[in-house]
């Protein structure tokens, strides 16, 4: 009898050990497999059992959470969804998260360890804190001005505070309402299919994820490299620049859209956007200095985050003379995001210092206690302060006397550069209209805003596309919103530029007068 009891006890012990081993295997070694199994809805139920934290613009939430009473209780809602979609992204029960909803998900969902009473508390208790808040750097008035300015056209706007890198506006059109993707029903599936099939690509954030040939706005980079290298010692001296200019090593000729470019000074060439002068200037400066300046300003940077990942802008590191000439006027394979070109304008406005652009000012708990704060960070000194001052003068002249006059603001100093970028096979595509600029209110210590605008405008007549006519008025509206100056009567977008000078006019021969 005793031996039978002993054997039974051993069998029971072995069974208990087997149960413990199996429980350990499931709970420890295979936990991830079960957690990730699509049939396991526990995590989804827990995730949506509480309200998601809000994203704030100007101190006010642009998001909310609605209790639906369903198994996945809380769905995301958006205030002015299309306006802020390039900032917030979407939070969908069916399709996950994007943009800030994705990069700041731990804070918004309440799973960030720093939201607990003490770090690691929630991991021990297997609990989650109320969703935290994400305070953005966006200026609501600037965002609205950019969105209204683009209207029904395809394009993007990025605006930066030069001294801090704070992103004041980030707009991409056409946009979409992220609230359409919030739930998990058939309407959400239909919206997802429609948005992804739309040839206008409303889900694409053109401000940070689309690169374009920057056209003549890249002449700011070319001028910076030439000034830094000493290739240009006096911006008012005439250059030895033929019109048209034969590209090195080829029989192809580059021409201009304006008269007076032959042997024009750098100042005149910048004001009136002479391609021949800057193509030749880039070749004379050389590939290495041009590449170095572009990279110091942010080109070819694959690691930039704001905290959203930003597509790298491109400046080729291997080119022949003809390719370098075209790249120096923002063509060939040179491509840039609107955010990148806003960084170029901001660097000029900020004495050559490139600040790390950022979209999040701070994150907080649900009651407003700060969790993390994003400070000002300098990426690099792209150019000397003296070079930056000369470029500021050139950009100011381009607005006051040249192609950027539609961006002039009473009560402020505005510097800018227009661009009309060719693209497509044989340059048959409708040109992209560019404008980059910065603005400083009269009496202010430093520029308050730098802006980049690109308008794709695929439906427009080719002759009506220009940076000065299409993009500059949008930049002006954004700068006015940041400066908080009274709005002026909108410029006529049909007026591309001031009357273009000819060699026989005083403006056309101004470089000669300054030469003496």
């Amino acid at each position: 009898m005793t031996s039978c009891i002993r054997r039974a006890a051993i069998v029971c012990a072995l069974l208990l050990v087997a149960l413990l081993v199996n429980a350990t295997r499931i709970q420890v070694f295979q936990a991830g497999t079960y957690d990730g199994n699509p049939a396991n809805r526990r995590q989804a139920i827990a995730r949506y059992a509480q309200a998601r934290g809000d994203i704030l613009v100007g101190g006010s939430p642009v998001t909310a959470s609605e209790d639906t009473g369903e198994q996945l209780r809380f769905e995301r809602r958006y205030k002015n969804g299309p306006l802020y979609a390039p900032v917030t992204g979407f939070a969908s029960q069916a399709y996950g998260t994007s943009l800030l909803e994705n990069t700041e998900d731990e804070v918004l969902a309440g799973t960030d360890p720093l939201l607990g009473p003490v770090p690691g508390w929630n991991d021990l208790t297997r609990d989650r804190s109320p969703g935290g808040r994400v305070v953005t750097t966006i200026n609501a008035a600037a965002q609205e001005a950019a969105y209204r300015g683009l209207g029904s056209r395809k394009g993007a706007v990025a605006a930066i505070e030069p001294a801090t890198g704070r992103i004041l506006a980030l707009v991409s059109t056409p946009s979409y309402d992220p609230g359409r993707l919030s739930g998990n029903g058939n309407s959400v599936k239909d919206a997802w299919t429609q948005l992804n099939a739309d040839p206008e690509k409303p889900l694409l954030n053109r401000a940070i994820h689309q690169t374009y040939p920057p056209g003549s706005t890249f002449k700011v980079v070319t001028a910076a490299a030439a000034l830094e290298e000493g290739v240009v010692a006096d911006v008012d001296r005439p250059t030895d620049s033929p019109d048209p200019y034969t590209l090195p090593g080829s029989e192809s000729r580059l021409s201009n859209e304006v008269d007076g470019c032959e042997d024009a000074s750098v100042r005149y060439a910048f004001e009136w956007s002479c391609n021949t002068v800057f193509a030749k200037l880039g070749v004379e400066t050389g590939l290495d200095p041009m590449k170095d300046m572009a990279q110091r300003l942010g080109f070819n940077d694959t690691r930039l985050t704001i905290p959203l990942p930003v597509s790298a802008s491109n400046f080729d590191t291997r080119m022949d003379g003809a390719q370098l000439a075209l790249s120096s006027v923002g063509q060939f394979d040179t491509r840039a995001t609107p955010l990148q070109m806003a960084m170029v304008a901001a660097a000029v406005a900020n004495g050559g210092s490139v600040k790390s652009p950022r979209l999040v000012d701070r994150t907080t708990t649900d009651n407003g206690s700060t969790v993390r704060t994003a400070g000002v960070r300098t990426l690099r000194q792209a150019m000397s302060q003296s070079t930056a001052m000369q470029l500021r003068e050139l950009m100011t002249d381009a607005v006051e006397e040249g192609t950027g006059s539609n961006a002039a603001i009473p009560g402020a100093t505005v510097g800018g550069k227009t661009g009309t970028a060719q693209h497509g096979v044989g340059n048959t595509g409708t040109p992209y209209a560019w404008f980059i600029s910065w603005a400083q209110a009269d009496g202010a210590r430093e520029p308050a805003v730098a802006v980049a605008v690109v308008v794709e405008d695929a439906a427009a007549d080719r002759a009506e596309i220009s940076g000065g006519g299409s993009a500059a008025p949008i930049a002006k509206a954004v700068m006015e919103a940041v400066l908080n100056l009274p709005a002026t009567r909108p410029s006529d977008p049909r007026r591309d530029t001031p009357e273009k000078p000819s060699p026989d006019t005083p403006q056309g021969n101004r470089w000669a007068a300054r030469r003496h």
Side-chain angles (χ1 to χ4, degrees):
M1 185 67 179
T2 302
S3 62
C4 290
I5 294 174
R6 186 182 300 114
R7 291 190 191 99
I10 292 173
V11 171
C12 289
L14 290 174
L15 290 174
L16 179 60
V17 170
L19 287 172
L20 292 174
V21 169
N22 188 55
T24 302
R25 178 179 64 85
I26 292 173
Q27 294 291 333
V28 178
F29 297 102
Q30 292 186 339
T33 302
Y34 286 107
D35 282 343
N37 192 309
N40 182 8
R41 291 176 59 84
R42 286 180 177 272
Q43 285 197 339
I45 292 171
R47 177 180 178 85
Y48 298 108
Q50 70 175 32
R52 190 170 174 83
D54 285 324
I55 298 173
L56 277 61
V57 171
S60 298
V62 296
T63 59
S65 293
E66 180 181 344
D67 190 348
T68 64
E70 299 178 358
Q71 189 177 50
L72 303 183
R73 285 182 55 183
F74 286 93
E75 288 186 8
R76 200 57 153 165
R77 297 290 179 262
Y78 296 88
K79 178 182 179 181
N80 295 326
L83 173 63
Y84 291 111
V87 176
T88 64
F90 59 79
S92 171
Q93 294 178 350
Y95 300 106
T97 56
S98 69
L99 303 183
L100 279 186
E101 293 277 28
N102 179 54
T103 61
E104 302 300 321
D105 182 65
E106 287 190 346
V107 171
L108 297 168
T111 59
D112 190 315
L114 295 182
L115 293 174
V118 294
W121 175 262
N122 290 343
D123 291 335
L124 291 174
T125 62
R126 299 182 67 83
D127 197 4
R128 68 171 61 198
S129 302
R133 292 183 160 195
V134 175
V135 182
T136 71
T137 59
I138 293 294
N139 179 306
Q143 185 83 358
E144 291 169 5
Y147 188 71
R148 285 197 310 269
L150 285 170
S152 61
R153 295 173 292 182
K154 283 195 295 185
V157 177
I160 298 176
E161 187 174 66
T164 65
R166 298 172 72 248
I167 296 175
L168 304 177
L170 200 69
V171 171
S172 175
T173 56
S175 188
Y176 69 103
D177 182 0
R180 295 178 61 195
L181 302 175
S182 291
N184 54 27
N186 289 331
S187 63
V188 172
K189 295 178 182 178
D190 292 342
W192 178 257
T193 301
Q194 178 188 350
L195 289 170
N196 280 281
D198 191 333
E200 300 299 304
K201 299 182 179 180
L203 292 175
L204 173 65
N205 190 334
R206 289 171 164 84
I208 60 173
H209 293 153
Q210 180 68 36
T211 60
Y212 303 87
S216 291
T217 60
F218 193 81
K219 291 171 183 174
V220 176
V221 181
T222 302
L227 288 167
E228 286 286 282
E229 287 297 302
V231 175
V232 174
D234 183 351
V235 296
D236 291 312
R237 289 181 61 86
T239 59
D240 182 14
S241 303
D243 183 9
Y245 171 62
T246 302
L247 301 180
S250 76
E251 296 181 356
S252 299
R253 290 187 169 191
L254 186 66
S255 59
N256 300 291
E257 296 294 330
V258 65
D259 295 327
C261 290
E262 184 176 357
D263 297 335
S265 69
V266 169
R267 186 187 301 276
Y268 179 88
F270 195 94
E271 290 177 8
W272 295 101
S273 209
C274 296
N275 290 328
T276 52
V277 174
F278 278 91
K280 184 172 182 291
L281 190 61
V283 173
E284 291 175 344
T285 302
L287 175 58
D288 286 342
M290 285 290 295
K291 175 195 67 179
D292 291 344
M293 177 56 67
Q295 292 184 163
R296 289 201 296 270
L297 287 165
F299 283 79
N300 300 336
D301 185 352
T302 60
R303 298 174 297 176
L304 181 64
T305 59
I306 60 172
L308 315 178
V310 179
S311 297
S313 298
N314 180 72
F315 186 83
D316 283 1
T317 57
R318 294 183 178 180
M319 289 183 279
D320 60 26
Q323 294 165 342
L324 178 58
L326 292 174
S327 295
S328 300
V329 293
Q331 297 290 167
F332 185 52
D333 283 343
T334 302
R335 297 184 69 87
T337 62
L339 179 65
Q340 172 61 68
M341 295 314 296
M343 291 171 63
V344 170
V348 172
N350 195 42
S353 177
V354 180
K355 302 300 181 183
S356 178
R358 55 189 173 93
L359 188 56
V360 175
D361 189 58
R362 66 186 184 278
T363 55
T364 74
T365 62
D366 64 321
N367 61 14
S369 299
T370 298
V371 175
R372 295 183 183 87
T373 300
V376 179
R377 185 165 66 94
T378 300
L379 291 178
R380 61 192 71 86
Q381 185 72 28
M383 65 193 81
S384 66
Q385 290 192 7
S386 61
T387 293
M389 288 299 297
Q390 290 183 82
L391 289 174
R392 284 182 61 166
E393 185 178 329
L394 292 177
M395 293 181 75
T396 302
D397 287 348
V399 172
E400 293 181 351
E401 303 180 30
T403 59
S405 63
N406 282 337
I409 300 174
T413 299
V414 177
K417 183 70 191 78
T418 56
T420 305
Q422 308 291 337
H423 69 101
V425 178
N427 290 334
T428 56
T430 304
Y432 298 133
W434 276 93
F435 191 73
I436 66 173
S437 60
W438 52 265
Q440 179 175 348
D442 292 349
R445 296 179 58 184
E446 59 189 17
V449 59
V451 184
V453 178
V454 63
V455 180
E456 295 184 29
D457 218 353
D461 184 341
R462 189 181 179 95
E464 294 177 352
I465 302 275
S466 79
S470 298
I474 301 172
K476 175 182 178 179
V478 174
M479 292 186 290
E480 284 181 324
V482 175
L483 296 174
N484 199 25
L485 296 173
T488 57
R489 183 174 61 85
S491 302
D492 184 352
R494 294 171 297 180
R495 177 175 175 258
D496 281 359
T497 66
E499 183 179 350
K500 295 178 180 179
S502 70
D504 298 327
T505 64
Q507 293 91 345
N509 285 319
R510 179 172 50 198
W511 64 264
R514 286 180 173 171
R515 178 182 181 184
H516 300 296

